[in-house]
Amino acid sequence: MFDESPPPQTRAPARTDTAYRVLARKYRPQTFSELIGQDAMVQTLGNAIRRGRLAHAFLMTGVRGVGKTSTARLIAKALNCVGPDGQGGPTIDPCGVCEPCKAIAEGRHIDVIEMDAASHTGVDDVREIIEAVRYAAVSARFKIYIIDEVHMLSKNAFNALLKTLEEPPAHVKFLFATTEVNKVPITVLSRCQRFDLRRISAEKLADHFAHVIEAEGVAAEPDALKLIAQAAEGSARDGLSILDQAIAHAELGGGGEGERALVTAGQVREMLGLSDRGAIRRLFGLILEGRGEDVLRAMADQHELGVEPLAILRGLMEIVHAVTMAKAGRRHDDPIQSAEEREALADWASQLGFAPLHRLWQLLLKGHEEVSRAVMPMEAAEMALLRIVHAASLPDPSDLARMLSQGGGFAGAASAPAAESAPAAPPAPASTMPASFEALVKRLWDGNHALVADEMEHLIRPVRYEPPELDFQPVRPMDRETIDRMKQAIDAVTQARWQLSAVGGDAQPSLAERKAAEEEAAKKAILETPVLKAAMEAFPDAELLPIDDDAKWSASA
């Protein structure tokens, strides 16, 4: 017997029994417990089903890929499930094994009609639904109409549907899904029970992708899954599509037969054209230091690695936003942030004031807009970064206003950076300095710096007052921007350069605390006098009140 089969190198590959299904379809949720990130909606539906309070129309809205159509199919299964024994009723946990459950999952149930409003937008399509709802369901408990992207129906189609939607037969349920709920007429919204499906958090998506990776027999670095979850922007479908691509990318990387493909963070970053977070932090540091040549070199290095200029600017904007939020006191635990990155953000937050951060944000926002519509994106990005570098060396608007008010003119304002780097001016004669902290605050009041004077009275506890130096303890946490504002006002009224330092050690009470203590002591002394004691005994409900700002007290019944 001769082997007539083709030689190994020409043998056709073995055919699989079933075609490959992409992950977004393969792992579509089949039960409400598999629907991630929508716990509030599931609880509401479960309570409604258990209490028999079922609406006749449901509207699911949310961004792409959060499970709107999947939720509609799950509701259809929940309402029509009969259980393994065929005797069950509506349930939030459909069995998945009865004929209605299997038919709905496979899209072949005669009483569950799906319609894509993007391709059936006219009134004639809606008229077919209106004619069909009069007839009872063939084999299911409810006849269900699922209309996807319902906002694309025409105005006439919506109007034709209104009456039926308001008073449908008891055996009919409408399930609508849309990504643009603002385009659905209010008359339709008022007739539906609305569910807003939330974006899925990056943490939940990464956990979900880890289960998918395990089920697919593939390995992945945790950071790679976090990158994919971030890129998905809250959409499970988008994330699974990216994961599908990442697995294919990893498999193309080679490996011996039988070895599991490994999805790495580097491969995902390269595949998505993402910038390296460490490189973006270094670029941000160079911008703050005003090193234009190094900024351009770092930009070119990222561009050679395939990172798009828009991605670089977006990465810089994310850093500025994160630093500003850290300075404002809001904790933002990004799953991708390393300990090193959190430390760098905290360091920048302690050094930068809100004004420079807002200015950086505006400059980056303008640069991002320019690059997005530029004919030469790389060149536009370089110009935008150079503009930020040079703007960083300019004085703040408040400094410019102070210089102009002091007669420095535009020449003085333009030379402000040079003046800051020049040696400090000699201190003013001691005879012109306020003799005490109280005198310093009074001079601020007299010099039309009422806001700073009030802050000094209420927020500063003096530790050491030796003009032109002031060591203090803040009454409550104080940022550098507030201290700088105080220093500028004191410099202006004393014509000297002061040094304000927040320190530890024993501190005197603030002027406001001192005044409150003196008023309390005066009040107590008055209450101890025999006349007041007798008056208070005669009139127990009387109280002692000040009659003017100098805390002269008067008894009032």
Side-chain angles (χ1 to χ4, degrees):
M1 297 290 293
F2 295 97
D3 184 6
E4 296 181 356
S5 61
Q9 63 271 23
T10 60
R11 184 174 299 173
R15 295 181 60 184
T16 57
D17 294 334
T18 58
Y20 174 71
R21 297 178 68 199
V22 296
L23 298 183
R25 293 185 59 196
K26 185 175 181 180
Y27 292 95
R28 173 171 280 169
Q30 299 300 317
T31 64
F32 281 105
S33 61
E34 296 176 4
L35 191 66
I36 59 176
Q38 312 300 340
D39 298 338
M41 182 199 67
V42 173
Q43 181 178 355
T44 303
L45 281 173
N47 292 340
I49 291 174
R50 280 189 289 270
R51 297 169 186 170
R53 304 178 64 88
L54 291 171
H56 57 266
F58 298 88
L59 175 71
M60 273 68 68
T61 179
V63 299
R64 69 202 182 280
V66 292
K68 299 182 295 297
T69 307
S70 296
T71 300
R73 291 173 181 171
L74 289 176
I75 294 175
K77 289 169 65 174
L79 297 182
N80 285 325
C81 177
V82 296
D85 58 357
Q87 303 300 316
T91 173
I92 194 64
D93 297 311
C95 65
V97 297
C98 65
E99 180 55 31
C101 283
K102 290 193 292 185
I104 293 172
E106 295 169 6
R108 56 178 175 83
H109 200 294
I110 193 172
D111 292 319
V112 178
I113 301 96
E114 290 194 32
M115 185 182 91
D116 178 21
S119 54
H120 299 80
T121 61
V123 67
D124 291 337
D125 300 301
V126 172
R127 189 176 292 117
E128 291 181 12
I129 296 177
I130 297 171
E131 293 293 329
V133 296
R134 295 183 298 172
Y135 303 103
V138 176
S139 62
R141 187 178 296 113
F142 293 102
K143 179 180 282 189
I144 295 177
Y145 290 91
I146 300 175
I147 304 181
D148 202 7
E149 300 300 339
V150 68
H151 67 274
M152 301 191 75
L153 287 178
S154 67
K155 181 179 179 180
N156 289 337
F158 273 125
N159 291 334
L161 187 62
L162 283 179
K163 187 62 178 177
T164 302
L165 187 61
E166 185 171 18
E167 297 179 1
H171 61 270
V172 174
K173 302 291 181 186
F174 288 99
L175 305 178
F176 301 142
T178 178
T179 54
E180 300 184 50
V181 69
N182 58 301
K183 293 184 178 180
V184 179
I186 190 66
T187 50
V188 173
L189 292 177
S190 64
R191 291 165 167 81
C192 300
Q193 191 171 98
R194 173 174 167 176
F195 292 105
D196 290 84
L197 277 68
R198 303 178 178 220
R199 288 180 184 269
I200 307 169
S201 67
E203 294 87 345
K204 290 184 177 180
L205 283 177
D207 291 341
H208 179 57
F209 297 157
H211 293 306
V212 171
I213 281 286
E214 186 65 27
E216 290 294 306
V218 181
E221 295 177 353
D223 285 347
L225 298 181
K226 291 176 182 178
L227 283 171
I228 295 173
Q230 286 283 72
E233 297 182 345
S235 169
R237 183 176 63 233
D238 287 7
L240 287 171
S241 298
I242 297 172
L243 182 61
D244 223 340
Q245 183 181 356
I247 293 174
H249 189 78
E251 289 173 346
L252 291 174
E257 189 170 345
E259 291 185 13
R260 296 207 300 175
L262 176 63
V263 178
T264 66
Q267 290 171 338
V268 171
R269 188 174 287 111
E270 179 183 359
M271 181 185 75
L272 297 178
L274 298 176
S275 57
D276 178 58
R277 295 172 75 92
I280 293 297
R281 288 199 306 274
R282 290 190 292 273
L283 177 59
F284 185 69
L286 294 173
I287 291 173
L288 294 181
E289 294 171 11
R291 294 160 58 179
E293 185 178 348
D294 293 334
V295 166
L296 293 179
R297 187 178 298 112
M299 184 79 176
D301 291 341
Q302 287 293 294
H303 193 252
E304 289 178 3
L305 293 174
V307 182
E308 293 297 325
L310 268 180
I312 296 175
L313 288 175
R314 179 171 177 173
L316 290 171
M317 291 174 69
E318 289 174 351
I319 289 181
V320 173
H321 178 264
V323 172
T324 307
M325 293 300 101
K327 188 169 186 64
R330 192 184 88 178
R331 289 180 57 86
H332 180 66
D333 296 327
D334 190 332
I336 300 181
Q337 283 183 2
S338 62
E340 178 186 2
E341 183 170 357
R342 292 192 181 95
E343 183 179 347
L345 294 177
D347 187 43
W348 284 323
S350 65
Q351 295 178 16
L352 296 171
F354 282 111
L357 286 169
H358 293 325
R359 184 165 52 175
L360 278 169
W361 176 262
Q362 292 298 328
L363 289 169
L364 285 169
L365 195 63
K366 180 175 177 59
H368 187 278
E369 180 184 356
E370 291 175 353
V371 173
S372 65
R373 50 188 173 83
V375 178
M376 299 183 293
M378 182 60 182
E379 288 75 4
E382 290 176 335
M383 295 299 292
L385 292 186
L386 285 177
R387 181 169 63 226
I388 297 170
V389 168
H390 293 300
S393 64
L394 295 177
D396 286 331
S398 59
D399 293 335
L400 289 172
R402 178 170 57 84
M403 293 170 188
L404 292 172
S405 66
Q406 294 176 359
F410 288 101
S415 62
E420 290 182 0
S421 61
S431 59
T432 66
M433 288 289 189
S436 64
F437 178 71
E438 295 85 342
L440 174 63
V441 175
K442 185 178 184 305
R443 187 172 294 190
L444 287 168
W445 281 110
D446 296 339
N448 294 324
H449 293 279
L451 176 60
V452 173
D454 185 71
E455 289 177 334
M456 297 280 286
E457 280 190 0
H458 290 82
L459 303 181
I460 297 296
R461 291 176 177 148
V463 174
R464 183 177 67 91
Y465 179 78
E466 294 181 6
E469 296 180 5
L470 172 62
D471 294 345
F472 67 93
Q473 284 184 5
V475 172
R476 61 171 183 261
M478 185 182 299
D479 58 27
R480 189 69 228 176
E481 188 175 2
T482 302
I483 298 174
D484 289 343
R485 186 173 66 251
M486 291 180 177
K487 178 186 179 305
Q488 291 174 6
I490 296 172
D491 289 353
V493 298
T494 61
Q495 298 298 309
R497 291 198 174 186
W498 280 67
Q499 180 178 344
L500 275 60
S501 305
V503 299
D506 297 331
Q508 304 172 25
S510 69
L511 294 183
E513 291 171 336
R514 196 181 310 173
K515 182 178 180 181
E518 291 171 354
E519 291 176 356
E520 185 63 28
K523 180 179 178 181
K524 186 175 180 181
I526 294 172
L527 288 172
E528 291 297 324
T529 60
V531 175
L532 258 294
K533 280 187 176 181
M536 299 301 286
E537 290 175 0
F539 302 97
D541 295 331
E543 57 180 330
L544 194 63
L545 299 174
I547 60 175
D548 57 27
D549 292 338
D550 295 328
K552 295 178 182 177
W553 299 91
S554 171
S556 173

